[in-house]
Amino acid sequence: MRDLGVGFGHLLKGQRWVSRHGRQYGFGLLPGLITLVLYVAALVALALWGADAVTWATPFADDWSSPWQGLFRGFLTAVLFALGLLLAVLTFTAVTLLIGDPFYESLSEQVDADVSPDGTAPRSDLPFWRELWISARDSLRVLVRAALWGVLLFALGLLPFVGQTVVPVLGFFVTGFFLTEELTAVAFQRRGVDLRARLTLLRSRKTLVWGFGTPLGLAFLVPFVAVFLMPGAVAGATMLARELLGEDVEESGEGSARVTADGEFRPGGVTPGSVPPPPAAPR
C-alpha cells in the first residue's frame, strides 16, 4: 500500500514542479489544447450520427415491433458512445504526446536535470524523426493492448451485478496503467529503454503505477482537465521513471537525495534494452 502513496506523491510533485516553471507549463499546454479540439469534434460527430450508424449496422432489427427496436438500438448507441469516450481517455495521452513530442521531451529533460543531484539529464543520440517513429510505433502497440482490454471489460460489463460494480473499478486501474506507460515513455525513451523493458518495469511495481495513473485517469474524465494536467503529468512521470530505475532523486530546494538499495549511484540511466532490477524492500 505504501507504493500507492508514493505513486500519487509523484503525480503531485509533477504538478508542483510545473507550477514553479511557468514557461514550460505554458508550452506544455499547447499539444493538449490541439488534441482536445480534435477529440471534442470526434465525440460530437459520434453523438450526432451514432444512432444513424447503429441503424445502418442493424438492418435485421428494421421489422422489430415497438418498443424493442428503439430499446435495442438505443442501448447500442449508448454503448458506442461509451466505447468512444473510453477510447478517447485511453488514447488522449498518446496522441497528445505524439503531437507535443518536442515540448514534452524538453520538459522531461529539464525535470531530470532539476531533480538529479549532479544536475545532468540523460539524452538520446537518435535523430528527431527516429524518435518520433519509435514513439508512434510504441503508442500504436500500447493502443492495441488497451483496446483488447477494453473489449474484454465491455464483455464482462454485460454480466449482471459484476458488470456494474467490479468491472468499472477494473477499468479505472487498467486505464491508469496504460496512462502511466504512455507518460513514462518520454523519460524511458531518452534512456534507451524499449517498450518490452518498460512494461516489465511497470508490472514489477503495479501499486506504484496505479497510485500515479488511476487518479490521473479519473481526473481525465472531467472535461478540459486533461489539458491542464498534462504538463505536470509528464513531469511527475519523469520522476516516477527515475523511481522505477532506482536513480537518485532530489527535489531542488526540498528533501534529500535517495539512492538505490545497494547504495549505487546511476545518474546516466540504463543500457538500451536492459531492465535493472527494482530496488529491494528496506529491511
Side-chain angles (χ1 to χ4, degrees):
M1 294 299 291
R2 174 184 173 274
D3 268 355
L4 284 174
V6 174
F8 185 65
H10 284 309
L11 180 60
L12 296 180
K13 290 176 184 176
Q15 301 302 325
R16 195 162 63 241
W17 190 92
V18 294
S19 72
R20 300 197 306 262
H21 299 77
R23 184 177 180 183
Q24 283 74 25
Y25 180 66
F27 280 119
L29 289 176
L30 295 177
L33 288 171
I34 296 171
T35 308
L36 178 65
V37 171
L38 296 175
Y39 273 57
V40 167
L43 289 174
V44 168
L46 189 60
L48 291 176
W49 294 294
D52 293 337
V54 169
T55 300
W56 172 82
T58 56
F60 57 84
D62 287 343
D63 298 328
W64 289 13
S65 60
S66 179
W68 305 116
Q69 183 193 81
L71 290 174
F72 175 69
R73 285 177 169 169
F75 172 74
L76 290 183
T77 301
V79 168
L80 180 63
F81 186 81
L83 285 175
L85 186 60
L86 175 63
L87 189 63
V89 173
L90 289 173
T91 60
F92 182 89
T93 301
V95 174
T96 304
L97 290 174
L98 191 61
I99 293 174
D101 186 75
F103 298 98
Y104 295 132
E105 281 285 346
S106 175
L107 189 152
S108 176
E109 188 174 321
Q110 291 186 54
V111 172
D112 258 323
D114 192 41
V115 302
S116 175
D118 62 355
T120 62
R123 293 186 178 182
S124 173
D125 294 328
L126 297 175
F128 172 73
W129 66 268
R130 177 64 177 168
E131 289 188 354
L132 194 62
W133 162 249
I134 292 174
S135 178
R137 181 197 63 191
D138 289 350
S139 293
L140 181 60
R141 292 163 66 185
V142 170
L143 177 59
V144 171
R145 287 178 167 87
L148 292 175
W149 271 101
V151 172
L152 176 61
L153 291 172
F154 171 70
L156 293 175
L158 299 177
L159 298 175
F161 183 71
V162 174
Q164 293 74 47
T165 54
V166 178
V167 173
V169 175
L170 289 176
F172 285 125
F173 280 103
V174 170
T175 300
F177 182 89
F178 285 113
L179 276 177
T180 305
E181 194 288 324
E182 288 288 351
L183 290 164
T184 54
V186 179
F188 280 137
Q189 190 170 316
R190 282 190 293 107
R191 292 163 166 81
V193 183
D194 61 21
L195 177 60
R196 181 176 297 180
R198 296 202 301 266
L199 291 173
T200 300
L201 279 167
L202 293 169
R203 289 168 184 154
S204 70
R205 296 182 67 181
K206 291 189 184 73
T207 51
L208 177 72
V209 172
W210 290 333
F212 180 90
T214 302
L216 186 62
L218 288 168
F220 276 16
L221 291 176
V222 181
F224 308 111
V225 166
V227 174
F228 297 100
L229 292 184
M230 269 298 292
V234 172
T238 301
M239 300 176 191
L240 181 69
R242 295 178 64 90
E243 172 96 17
L244 288 167
L245 292 170
E247 296 178 1
D248 293 356
V249 178
E250 180 181 13
E251 283 201 43
S252 59
E254 56 185 289
S256 57
R258 288 178 291 171
V259 298
T260 58
D262 56 3
E264 184 180 0
F265 172 50
R266 295 194 300 268
V270 296
T271 303
S274 66
V275 183
R283 298 181 179 178

